Amino acid sequence: MSPVELVEEAQEPAEASTFSLADLLAESAAALTARPTRTLLTALGTILGVAALVTTIGLAKTAGNQIISRFDELEATRVLVRPEERQQGRNSVVVNVIPFDAGDRLRRLNGVVAAGTKSDVEIEGLARSVPVVDPLGLNEFQIKVVAASPGLFDAVRATLETGRFFDHGHNDRGDNVVVLGPGAANRLNITRLDNSPAIFIGEQTFAVVGVLRDVEREPDLLNAIIVTDGFARDRLGLLGPGEVHIETDIGATELIGSQAGIALAPDAPDQLRVSLPPSPRGVRSSVQGDIDALFLILGGVSLLVGAIGIANVTLVSVLERTGEIGLRRALGATRMHIASQFLFESATLGALAGLIGTSLGILAVVTVSFFRTWTPVLDPWLPFAAPLAGAFIGLLAGTYPAWKAGATEPVTALRSGT
Amino acid sequence: MKTPVVELAGVRRIFEGTPPVVALDEANLTINQGDYLAIVGPSGSGKSTLLHLLGLLDTPSEGVYRLDGIDTAELGERDRAGLRANRLGFVFQSFHLLGHRTNVENVMLAEVYRKGSKSERRTRAIAALERVGLGHRLDAFPTTLSGGERQRVAIARALVGEPSLLLADEPTGNLDSVTSEQILDLFDQLHHGGLTLAVITHDSDVSLRAERTVRIQDGVLSEATVVPTGDSP
């Protein structure tokens, strides 16, 4: 052997070790499928974490939409007008500029469905339905009295149990007629109107023309005796209605809110305070924000636990597979090859867990929605982002074990059996 | 004359510590193509260190190691790993087979870190298994095999891709005498087929089969001069 020959031989390039992507995939898949039960259990934490996350995000979205649709129906068509309180010196003074024909004025505005006035009034004395005073039985009650214009019944969406609402005629004449809320009727023992019952409040006598079944707004009407504005004006000295309730078309509240003040008090619209429902967009974001924040934290915590689970088991499996690592190094694997295989295994595990978790989560959202008769609402990015998040978790969890596997010295590794 | 498979010149391996341990001292060794070499010595003598150096699993502290004429000191990790993949075959005492994979799959693992066509991996693995006489147990799992059969699978894995050197570390250490004989017969057969073998052993039966015997004592390598009955028939 001449030195020249040796040098020539030495020029021959050494074949670098390779680990193709196809092999990486195949080796990782083989390792994951070698013990399917264990793989599944390892992934369980992440599966539950992702499922919790997807469920909570999905349910928050779904529930948020349901809440808003309820707001839409009742709240988003309601406008309330009250006199503005003003500071005069040390006292707050209310100058009432609401006219008694407020309901009629507002009805003329485009977008108003119904409008009526409501005022708390006081009549001296207790209410009773029988003219005699029974010393044994309790038949006199302190019952709230409310004065209303006929338009109020539509504006609060009242329904009748029996009888009728009082009308403009009653109101204009200031007749002694009342409509009873169901609570008040019950206490006064009035269940039917065919015998033309009357009630007494102090010295005043009233004919009962109707009994309410329910109202959708202003539930205090349910326990009240409702007299006409006209009666309150003529006989009780009511100077002006306390508040105006307006039901608008959907989407008309902003418009009516800007017009109501001028329609009611053209000379002093600034003395009225108009309450509008919260803007739907605001409601949506605030409700959803609350729910999301809470549930996202919960989901995040479960994901963290899942990640720790993967890291833990992967680390154990690195120790268990020390012999295999040694063998692979002997067969020509570099540190990088070993590390990338373990990293890819844990990332794949995370992605699979994410996929399963997403499926379970969506299933849970759909199931809950089915039983609550909700429409399930999912962000379209969610089913794609969740498995990616799982893969990321797996990648993160596998980093240390993979580094550990790569750093295992082949000499030491081969000493341990397979 | 052909390039020797292995050339060790003045190789030392010192393990850092207090005091430093000289596991291998000034080793000079040449293994030519077709050699059948036994490395013997008591435990703790430096046999394993020598094997790890020869197998490129460890690097010498000093000295030159050429494998097929390539100076391994200058190589990076990928190239050293590449040499292990392409030019070296390992056989271990504890077989190191993956229990969840069939025999063929275990043998195919040898080519994962190698360049070359993947489509014929299976064909080559089957050929290797047939060469060691296990053509009938291709799809069995190693866990169902006897010790001797497992070692054959491991040998088949080392043979795939025709390595320049087959390194065996106590290949019969876990086997009974009858099975050991069979494995040694297989080595003889492979040797006659032109394979270069280096077998580490403390078993005289094994070293007697080899053409050459190298003895290590306290990290010092010495070629046994006379091998009375070492020649294979």
Side-chain angles (χ1 to χ4, degrees):
Chain A
M1 148 95 35
S2 72
V4 180
E5 233 179 53
L6 232 177
V7 170
E8 274 174 1
E9 289 284 345
Q11 296 299 318
E12 186 183 312
E15 309 85 345
S17 159
T18 62
F19 191 25
S20 71
L21 187 64
D23 279 327
L24 174 63
L25 293 177
E27 291 299 313
S28 301
L32 287 174
T33 50
R35 292 167 161 183
T37 317
R38 176 188 218 182
T39 303
L40 197 69
L41 287 176
T42 308
L44 198 59
T46 311
I47 291 177
L48 292 179
V50 172
L53 213 56
V54 169
T55 309
T56 49
I57 293 176
L59 277 184
K61 184 91 179 164
T62 303
N65 270 35
Q66 313 310 315
I67 291 165
I68 286 150
S69 67
R70 288 185 58 166
F71 279 359
D72 283 349
E73 197 178 62
L74 203 60
E75 276 306 292
T77 56
R78 173 176 189 248
V79 177
L80 178 64
V81 184
R82 283 196 171 113
E84 182 72 278
E85 283 184 9
R86 289 204 304 190
Q87 291 295 126
Q88 274 191 353
R90 300 172 69 190
N91 307 321
S92 68
V93 176
V94 177
V95 178
N96 194 350
V97 294
I98 300 176
F100 277 104
D101 63 346
D104 296 330
R105 290 195 192 193
L106 292 170
R107 265 313 266 124
R108 292 183 209 121
L109 297 179
N110 191 17
V112 172
V113 173
T117 57
K118 173 174 176 252
S119 327
D120 291 342
V121 292
E122 287 198 13
I123 302 177
E124 291 265 328
L126 299 173
R128 61 184 193 279
S129 55
V130 283
V132 290
V133 177
D134 179 358
L136 296 175
L138 183 62
N139 57 8
E140 285 188 309
F141 306 94
Q142 181 75 49
I143 296 178
K144 180 184 170 82
V145 180
V146 170
S149 70
L152 183 72
F153 296 112
D154 283 339
V156 299
R157 298 193 189 176
T159 49
L160 277 170
E161 180 68 42
T162 179
R164 48 171 296 197
F165 299 124
F166 51 71
D167 59 21
H168 279 89
H170 294 126
N171 194 32
D172 293 345
R173 292 189 299 272
D175 285 347
N176 288 15
V177 292
V178 293
V179 172
L180 297 179
N186 192 30
R187 289 168 82 183
L188 294 168
N189 271 325
I190 289 173
T191 54
R192 40 192 281 205
L193 297 180
D194 50 358
N195 53 358
S196 302
I199 62 162
F200 309 90
I201 307 174
E203 300 303 314
Q204 313 271 359
T205 311
F206 299 90
V208 180
V209 295
V211 176
L212 297 180
R213 173 176 295 164
D214 202 5
V215 293
E216 288 190 29
R217 299 181 181 128
E218 299 302 305
D220 60 334
L221 292 176
L222 296 176
N223 283 320
I225 298 169
I226 305 161
V227 301
T228 61
D229 263 358
F231 177 84
R233 180 187 61 212
D234 298 346
R235 311 287 285 277
L236 301 173
L238 183 67
L239 294 173
E243 52 194 36
V244 187
H245 292 265
I246 310 168
E247 160 134 345
T248 71
D249 285 326
I250 288 175
T253 50
E254 302 263 346
L255 176 71
I256 299 304
S258 66
Q259 295 175 346
I262 297 164
L264 293 176
D267 52 338
D270 59 324
Q271 293 194 17
L272 296 172
R273 194 177 59 204
V274 180
S275 314
L276 297 176
S279 125
R281 195 163 300 154
V283 172
R284 185 178 305 229
S285 53
S286 69
V287 168
Q288 229 167 284
D290 292 349
I291 301 175
D292 282 3
L294 178 67
F295 287 153
L296 279 179
I297 290 169
L298 284 176
V301 167
S302 37
L303 261 192
L304 188 71
V305 173
I308 293 170
I310 291 187
N312 200 8
V313 179
T314 311
L315 198 58
V316 169
S317 120
V318 166
L319 298 179
E320 269 181 359
R321 287 161 69 185
T322 306
E324 181 190 332
I325 294 170
L327 170 73
R328 285 178 184 275
R329 292 296 296 275
L331 291 177
T334 62
R335 290 166 197 279
M336 277 297 294
H337 293 157
I338 299 290
S340 59
Q341 186 190 332
F342 277 91
L343 199 60
F344 194 80
E345 277 178 29
S346 68
T348 310
L349 192 63
L352 282 176
L355 204 62
I356 299 172
T358 309
S359 313
L360 290 179
I362 291 176
L363 204 65
V365 171
V366 171
T367 310
V368 170
S369 299
F370 174 77
F371 283 109
R372 302 293 298 264
T373 62
W374 287 347
T375 310
V377 181
L378 276 180
D379 284 314
W381 53 265
L382 195 60
F384 300 98
L388 280 181
F392 179 70
I393 293 283
L395 206 64
L396 219 59
T399 306
Y400 175 68
W403 172 81
K404 185 113 177 145
T408 307
E409 280 301 323
V411 171
T412 331
L414 283 170
R415 222 167 270 150
S416 78
T418 307
Chain B
M1 185 184 173
K2 287 177 182 172
T3 314
V5 177
V6 168
E7 270 186 298
L8 290 182
V11 166
R12 301 180 81 188
R13 181 69 174 98
I14 300 165
F15 290 106
E16 300 298 331
T18 44
V21 178
V22 181
L24 198 62
D25 197 9
E26 289 288 335
N28 295 295
L29 177 68
T30 304
I31 304 175
N32 289 308
Q33 282 181 25
D35 274 3
Y36 184 176
L37 178 80
I39 301 165
V40 297
S43 51
S45 59
K47 291 195 305 270
S48 293
T49 305
L50 179 61
L51 181 99
H52 293 144
L53 289 173
L54 289 176
L56 290 170
L57 297 168
D58 196 4
T59 39
S61 311
E62 284 172 36
V64 179
Y65 170 27
R66 287 194 195 89
L67 178 66
D68 283 342
I70 302 164
D71 189 349
T72 60
E74 293 164 10
L75 300 177
E77 198 205 345
R78 283 196 65 194
D79 289 326
R80 289 169 61 85
L83 284 185
R84 289 201 297 272
N86 293 294
R87 298 187 187 230
L88 294 172
F90 288 87
V91 174
F92 306 99
Q93 178 175 359
S94 54
F95 320 134
H96 282 296
L97 298 169
L98 302 185
H100 294 287
R101 306 203 186 180
T102 63
N103 295 334
V104 167
E105 286 167 346
N106 264 292
V107 176
M108 284 163 68
L109 197 62
E111 296 200 289
V112 163
Y113 303 99
R114 241 175 241 174
K115 287 197 176 80
S117 83
K118 299 183 192 340
S119 51
E120 287 161 28
R121 260 186 210 170
R122 196 178 171 84
T123 322
R124 286 193 292 266
I126 291 171
L129 278 167
E130 279 167 351
R131 202 167 154 194
V132 299
L134 277 179
H136 59 296
R137 303 298 306 268
L138 296 176
D139 292 315
F141 286 91
T143 41
T144 64
L145 302 182
S146 71
E149 287 173 316
R150 289 186 202 187
Q151 195 58 297
R152 282 164 190 269
V153 175
I155 293 168
R157 183 179 61 200
L159 289 177
V160 170
E162 307 293 333
S164 308
L165 174 66
L166 187 106
L167 287 167
D169 186 5
E170 302 278 9
T172 60
N174 281 1
L175 303 176
D176 61 55
S177 57
V178 179
T179 336
S180 295
E181 283 297 310
Q182 292 168 353
I183 294 296
L184 293 176
D185 288 346
L186 178 60
F187 279 172
D188 284 344
Q189 203 183 314
L190 294 171
H191 169 54
H192 284 296
L195 187 72
T196 314
L197 290 123
V199 181
I200 283 193
T201 185
H202 63 265
D203 184 348
S204 56
D205 285 349
V206 179
S207 55
L208 286 176
R209 297 281 196 116
E211 287 175 341
R212 290 170 61 195
T213 301
V214 170
R215 190 170 303 278
I216 300 188
Q217 186 81 46
D218 297 330
V220 179
L221 199 69
S222 59
E223 187 117 4
T225 42
V226 185
V227 186
T229 56
D231 275 333
S232 359

